[in-house]
């Protein structure tokens, strides 16, 4: 056996040809290297370079981009994560840049090139970051499973397009006027509750307690896995939405002779998406908004109403203060109202005039004379 810098060449007495040996994370790896000693030495040097560059893979299997993606899918399913559909959207774009690549081919330079290409196409920085995070997760899982020695450094992306949008009441009213009638109750519900689009569209009447006046999300249906309840009768606008939807559902059921399980529907058919209608309405109004802005709006409205943070988080569905803070947006109107309250407080207080110390001393001197 002959040792080299980070590995060694050797022959086995029970086999022909040369072998190479090296260590990966403290584990000894042996690999057949052919009949010629020079070829074995060259292969060993190649393996050492791959280890240094983070491109090494276990002998006998070449890890591919598809393998990395499948690791991510399996991880999401095993952990019951709800955003697998977003992963699939990211994979569609990633496949254009890495579809036929092996894990060894995915280098820091290639990752940087993908980043620049996507930005040149007009993709938002946050979108590209999410795409690369899927690939990063796959490589992390491969390293953890000893399928890959290490992963290359991924480019750092700081999105400059972090959304801070929310709806003022007049914008909501204008949007409702532009949307189809079946979609309007969905939008009003999202405005009042701040619930996610998927959470709202998936509600069925079994989730509604008309007697108690509550609508609920079951544990496991939400992004954080926690259940949630919203007392809709306490908010007249929201109560009106549920009441009207129940009446509409009863009418459709009588006309069709079928049970309609969905709270929000088009003539008994569930509403799966309203993207086209939304985009058209926003374009006509020249309004740059997305449905997720209703979450920010709901948090802002709760803050304005001085609802306690613990209650607000329970209603909207935020587990931590850090996530809640991202949605608790303060705009110019909020700041102006805050200063107005401060001024009003100053007017309500009695202004006390302190005596001038110089005049006090002068008066005392005159009295003693």
């Amino acid at each position: 056996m002959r040792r080299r810098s980070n590995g060694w060449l050797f022959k086995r007495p029970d086999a022909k040809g040369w072998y190479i040996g090296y260590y990966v994370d403290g584990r000894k790896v042996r690999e057949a290297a052919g009949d010629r000693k020079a070829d074995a030495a060259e292969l060993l040097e190649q393996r050492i370079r791959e280890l240094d560059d983070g491109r090494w893979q276990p002998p006998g299997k070449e890890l591919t981009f598809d393998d990395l993606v499948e690791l991510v899918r399996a991880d999401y399913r095993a952990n019951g994560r709800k955003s697998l559909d977003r992963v699939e959207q990211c994979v569609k774009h990633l496949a254009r840049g890495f579809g036929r690549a092996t894990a060894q081919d995915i280098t820091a330079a290639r990752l940087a090139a993908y980043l620049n290409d996507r930005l040149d196409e007009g993709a938002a920085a946050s979108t590209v970051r999410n795409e690369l995070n899927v690939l990063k997760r796959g490589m992390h899982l491969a390293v953890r499973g000893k399928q890959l020695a290490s992963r290359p450094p991924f480019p750092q992306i700081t999105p400059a397009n972090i959304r801070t949008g929310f709806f003022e009441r007049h914008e909501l009213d204008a949007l409702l006027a532009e949307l189809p009638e079946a979609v309007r109750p969905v939008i009003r519900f999202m405005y009042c509750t701040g619930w996610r689009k998927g959470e709202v569209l998936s509600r069925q009447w079994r989730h509604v307690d008309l007697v108690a006046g509550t609508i609920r999300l079951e544990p496991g249906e939400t992004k954080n896995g926690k259940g949630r309840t919203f007392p809709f009768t306490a908010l007249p606008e929201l109560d009106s939405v549920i009441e009207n939807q129940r009446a509409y559902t009863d009418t459709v059921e009588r006309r069709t002779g079928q049970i309609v399980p969905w709270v929000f529907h088009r003539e008994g058919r569930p509403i799966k998406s309203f993207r086209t209608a939304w985009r058209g309405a926003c374009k006509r109004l020249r309004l740059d908004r997305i449905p997720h802005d209703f979450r920010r709006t709901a948090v802002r409205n709760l803050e304005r109403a001085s609802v306690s943070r613990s209650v607000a988080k329970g209603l909207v569905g935020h587990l931590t203060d850090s996530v809640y803070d991202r949605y608790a947006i303060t705009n110019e109107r909020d700041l102006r109202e805050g200063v107005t309250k401060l001024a009003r407080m100053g007017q309500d207080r009695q202004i006390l005039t302190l005596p001038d110390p110089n005049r006090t001393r002068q008066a005392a001197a005159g009295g003693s004379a």
Side-chain angles (χ1 to χ4, degrees), residues 83-320:
S83 51
L84 185 56
D85 56 335
R86 293 186 182 181
V87 171
E88 299 298 347
Q89 292 175 3
C90 294
V91 169
K92 290 180 181 179
H93 292 287
L94 288 168
R96 291 163 46 198
F98 305 99
R100 298 183 179 180
T102 65
Q104 289 182 328
D105 297 328
I106 301 175
T107 61
R110 190 161 180 178
L111 291 168
Y114 176 84
L115 167 63
N116 292 329
D117 289 344
R118 289 287 288 131
L119 293 177
D120 288 343
E121 292 173 356
S126 57
T127 300
V128 185
R129 180 185 61 179
N130 292 338
E131 292 167 4
L132 289 176
N133 280 344
V134 171
L135 190 54
K136 181 190 287 188
R137 180 61 180 169
M139 301 191 85
H140 170 76
L141 293 170
V143 171
R144 192 171 70 181
K146 306 299 183 183
Q147 297 172 274
L148 197 64
S150 62
R151 61 173 176 79
F154 277 66
Q156 296 294 321
I157 308 173
T158 303
N161 62 324
I162 298 175
R163 296 194 66 93
T164 58
F166 47 83
F167 279 89
E168 297 295 347
R169 185 72 210 196
H170 70 276
E171 294 174 328
L172 172 68
D173 293 338
L175 182 66
L176 290 172
E178 292 288 336
L179 287 170
E181 186 174 356
V183 178
R184 293 172 191 170
V186 179
I187 300 305
R188 291 176 63 194
F189 188 97
M190 293 176 67
Y191 174 82
C192 292
T193 64
W195 285 13
R196 297 177 179 88
K197 179 177 66 176
E199 295 171 344
V200 177
L201 295 181
S202 62
R203 290 311 81 204
Q204 299 185 22
W205 287 111
R206 61 187 175 87
H207 301 123
V208 180
D209 188 333
L210 294 173
V211 176
T214 59
I215 185 169
R216 69 183 184 276
L217 286 158
E218 304 290 357
E221 288 187 310
T222 64
K223 186 176 180 180
N224 58 36
K226 303 292 184 181
R228 199 185 314 154
T229 299
F230 205 106
F232 59 83
T233 53
L235 190 60
E237 181 174 4
L238 188 57
D239 188 26
S240 174
V241 170
I242 298 298
E243 182 180 347
N244 291 339
Q245 284 303 110
R246 184 63 260 180
Y248 171 58
T249 302
D250 291 340
T251 300
V252 173
E253 288 179 339
R254 286 194 298 268
R255 185 171 62 250
T256 62
Q258 297 179 344
I259 299 297
V260 178
W262 312 101
V263 176
F264 302 101
H265 55 90
R266 294 185 179 98
E267 293 294 319
R269 298 185 303 275
I271 299 174
K272 296 182 179 180
S273 175
F274 50 83
R275 179 180 300 178
T276 301
W278 178 276
R279 288 180 174 177
C282 289
K283 184 177 181 180
R284 289 190 294 274
L285 295 171
R286 297 182 180 180
L287 196 63
D288 181 20
R289 296 288 186 273
I290 60 175
H292 201 73
D293 290 337
F294 286 122
R295 285 183 68 73
R296 280 175 279 272
T297 303
V299 170
R300 183 200 60 182
N301 291 342
L302 288 165
E303 288 278 315
R304 283 179 174 177
S306 300
V307 176
S308 70
R309 175 159 293 203
S310 60
V311 172
K313 289 193 298 182
L315 290 171
V316 180
H318 291 139
L319 283 181
T320 64

Side-chain angles (χ1 to χ4, degrees), residues 14-73:
D14 59 340
K16 295 182 179 180
W18 286 87
Y19 288 78
I20 63 174
Y22 47 92
Y23 285 96
V24 178
D25 293 336
R27 296 183 298 111
K28 188 182 294 184
V29 177
R30 298 182 178 89
E31 186 177 346
D35 295 332
R36 296 178 65 246
K37 182 179 178 180
D39 292 340
E42 184 176 349
L43 180 61
L44 179 58
E45 295 294 343
Q46 177 183 335
R47 293 291 183 259
I48 300 303
R49 287 195 301 271
E50 290 171 354
L51 285 168
D52 291 340
D53 296 340
R55 297 183 295 109
W56 178 86
Q57 297 181 35
K61 184 175 190 316
E62 195 170 45
L63 202 65
T64 65
F65 167 78
D66 290 336
D67 294 328
L68 297 173
V69 170
E70 193 54 43
L71 287 174
V72 177
R73 290 184 179 124

